[in-house]
Amino acid sequence: MVQSASSSAASSASSGSRPQLDAVTRNALRYTISAKEYELLHQYLASRAPSVQKRALLPRRYEAIVESKHDASVSTVRASLRLFAMTYAALKGWDVISRRLRPAR
């Protein structure tokens, strides 16, 4: 029984040309960057570094992975994370500027 399970796992791993993404990686990609943004990034990087085309996912494959279920909450979380990051960066910048402009005691 154990041997048959390991042989089926080996055959499923060898059947695909590329390994399947696990759920954590797929969700991290979904929440990080949209399919349109990935396509633009892929085009930019492919024009600058041709080696990217060999290693990176094709935009159509990425879109199939990311948008398997069109979920509005994913784009909402993505927008809120970006808002948080921009607010944090703006407050850090304000802190640096205010410390430099503050007179020394």
Side-chain angles (χ1 to χ4, degrees), residues 34-47:
S34 70
K36 290 180 183 178
E37 294 166 340
Y38 180 80
E39 185 176 0
L40 291 172
L41 180 65
H42 188 269
Q43 288 174 355
Y44 176 77
L45 289 176
S47 69

Side-chain angles (χ1 to χ4, degrees), residues 3-96:
Q3 188 179 20
S4 66
S6 65
S7 64
S8 66
S11 66
S12 67
S14 64
S15 65
S17 61
R18 290 186 180 213
Q20 296 291 326
L21 291 176
D22 61 308
V24 174
T25 305
R26 185 177 61 241
N27 283 332
L29 287 173
R30 285 178 64 202
Y31 285 99
T32 304
I33 189 169
S34 70
K36 290 180 183 178
E37 294 166 340
Y38 180 80
E39 185 176 0
L40 291 172
L41 180 65
H42 188 269
Q43 288 174 355
Y44 176 77
L45 289 176
S47 69
R48 301 281 189 242
S51 63
V52 171
Q53 289 179 339
K54 296 176 188 174
R55 294 185 295 188
L57 292 172
L58 295 174
R60 287 185 182 176
R61 176 157 164 74
Y62 181 81
E63 186 174 2
I65 291 169
V66 172
E67 296 191 13
S68 60
K69 294 184 289 182
H70 184 61
D71 193 6
S73 65
V74 172
S75 59
T76 304
V77 169
R78 188 183 310 124
S80 64
L81 287 173
R82 290 177 182 172
L83 177 66
F84 174 75
M86 292 303 295
T87 303
Y88 180 77
L91 288 174
K92 273 300 210 187
W94 177 258
D95 186 42
V96 168

